[in-house]
Amino acid sequence: MISRRGFLSATAIAGVSTAAGASLGAVGATYAADVRSQTATADRSELFRGPHQAGIETDMQAVTNFIALDLKPSATKGDMRRWMSLLTDDIDRLTKGQPVLADPSPELAVGAARLTATLGFGVSFFRKLGLESKMPEGFIDLPSFKMDQLEDRYSGGDVLIHVGADDPIVLANASRALIRDSMPFATVRWMQNGFAHSPGMVPSGVSHRNLMGQVDGTENPKFGSEDFQNLVWINSGPDWIQGGTLLVLRRIAMQLDTWDQLGTPEKEEVIGRKLSNGAPLTGENEFDVPDLNARYPNGLKVIPDFAHIRRAAPGKPGERIFRRPFSYHEGVDANGRPDVGLLWTAYQRNIETQYLPIQRRLESLDLLNEWTVPIGSATFAIPRGVMEGELLAEALLL
């Protein structure tokens, strides 16, 4: 007599039936197709080495972490070179979907998922290491603006590691690895998490739609253009920054509970653009000259003086920036009010001549300030890219 356990074992060995086998085969085929689909996504990668760091002139990834660190008091340039050696190797591996050296969880390296990690240095980094003479032109800490309500937990920092990817597991694993290998040299000051559209939600290169419903980044310079090259990538000054850029990072809280009380026409007047497609209320596609009255002698009157795009429009040629904003959502309070906003970034050659004049105009008259509050602020110099055989920021730390 065969026991139930023996019967099941014998059945398993012999095979259940032709029908069951066919069913299992179908399941296996479906699984294999899913794996192929997942692999196609996981294998998408961005180049780490090149004249510029990745993560800037790059289509926005779905999720992102901005990580700011402060140097330990005993830190030296020699320590920084050792740190950069670790980070260079880590990022090189992670962008290929590989685990870092001595990774305690190598199974989490499930793919590249277009991961990038971009390194930057704050003004305080140069002061602490006596490198003020190597600071690029126009690189400054921002002054305070009257609309600011800045919090230390979102502001400042000696070093920035900005990590982005199309998969949250890949992002979390990479961020953890980079932080872990930074701990001998620095402490974490803050980490801010953001997101954008998932792959396929909008066409490549299309601007991000933020949580106020606005299409953000409409007038950005186009990737690969001479315009982008001239506005963003630095081509003079110290060798380490040539091919790099300057970053302004602002954490901007949105007051959605009151914003949502406005109707669509009122929201469009505040911004100066159609919410449906981001086009200016004039019906034109974009501003490309500083004199708005000359460009729109008949139609400009439909854009109020207080509208955001009127205040942000360039006052003279070259007074433009590349914006790359990510949304954040940190939950709700007991009354259902959401803690939401933007991790708003601006890249440029010179903060003093490109970003600062725009921000001064927004400070003086911008009705959008009624619904947005900057609560975090930092600036970072982003070194040039890493060529084969080089380390991150090697020329700065010689």
Side-chain angles (χ1 to χ4, degrees), residues 169-206:
I169 299 297
V170 170
L171 178 74
N173 180 58
S175 299
R176 182 183 175 197
L178 295 170
I179 291 172
R180 183 174 58 245
D181 281 350
S182 298
M183 289 302 90
F185 313 98
T187 57
V188 175
R189 183 181 180 93
W190 47 255
M191 184 165 77
Q192 302 185 52
N193 311 315
F195 58 89
H197 296 289
S198 295
M201 288 296 294
V202 296
S204 175
V206 171

Side-chain angles (χ1 to χ4, degrees), residues 131-352:
L131 296 172
E132 292 95 334
S133 64
K134 294 192 175 184
M135 288 174 57
E137 181 181 3
F139 179 46
I140 58 171
D141 281 326
L142 293 181
S144 60
F145 303 102
K146 65 182 181 182
M147 75 281 277
D148 287 355
Q149 298 181 25
L150 303 183
E151 302 178 30
D152 287 343
R153 60 178 174 155
Y154 301 130
S155 301
D158 296 339
V159 177
L160 175 75
I161 305 175
H162 174 206
V163 192
D166 281 338
D167 180 81
I169 299 297
V170 170
L171 178 74
N173 180 58
S175 299
R176 182 183 175 197
L178 295 170
I179 291 172
R180 183 174 58 245
D181 281 350
S182 298
M183 289 302 90
F185 313 98
T187 57
V188 175
R189 183 181 180 93
W190 47 255
M191 184 165 77
Q192 302 185 52
N193 311 315
F195 58 89
H197 296 289
S198 295
M201 288 296 294
V202 296
S204 175
V206 171
S207 302
H208 171 69
R209 188 179 288 276
N210 66 41
L211 296 179
M212 295 181 97
Q214 306 169 52
V215 178
D216 207 331
T218 307
E219 296 172 39
N220 270 335
K222 301 298 184 288
F223 288 173
S225 67
E226 185 178 354
D227 190 30
F228 194 100
Q229 181 75 30
N230 292 337
L231 289 172
V232 177
W233 300 123
I234 296 171
N235 64 354
S236 61
D239 176 68
W240 70 270
I241 196 68
Q242 293 187 37
T245 187
L246 303 181
L247 165 65
V248 172
L249 170 62
R250 304 272 282 175
R251 185 183 182 93
I252 302 174
M254 296 175 172
Q255 312 302 318
L256 291 191
D257 51 333
T258 54
W259 174 256
D260 287 343
Q261 295 174 18
L262 301 179
T264 296
E266 290 79 13
K267 291 177 179 178
E268 292 179 340
E269 282 198 341
V270 172
I271 305 303
R273 292 188 180 277
K274 291 286 186 181
L275 289 177
S276 59
N277 58 9
L281 295 183
T282 59
E284 298 282 348
N285 288 327
E286 60 181 331
F287 298 133
D288 60 8
V289 294
D291 189 345
L292 301 184
N293 289 291
R295 175 147 188 186
Y296 304 118
N298 299 316
L300 187 62
K301 61 185 179 181
V302 303
I303 301 180
D305 288 340
F306 56 70
H308 182 71
I309 68 168
R310 285 289 297 269
R311 311 309 302 167
K316 57 185 178 182
E319 200 175 85
R320 294 168 54 222
I321 53 179
F322 170 58
R323 305 190 307 283
R324 187 179 166 85
F326 292 86
S327 295
Y328 71 84
H329 194 308
E330 304 290 349
V332 297
D333 65 15
N335 296 311
R337 286 188 293 266
D339 179 3
V340 298
L342 280 181
L343 303 180
W344 186 91
T345 66
Y347 296 89
Q348 63 258 286
R349 284 182 171 181
N350 188 308
I351 293 173
E352 286 187 303

Side-chain angles (χ1 to χ4, degrees), residues 47-66:
L47 291 177
F48 167 54
R49 296 189 182 273
H52 313 298
Q53 288 195 65
I56 300 170
E57 197 172 357
T58 303
D59 284 335
M60 290 182 71
Q61 298 105 319
V63 286
T64 199
N65 286 336
F66 291 89

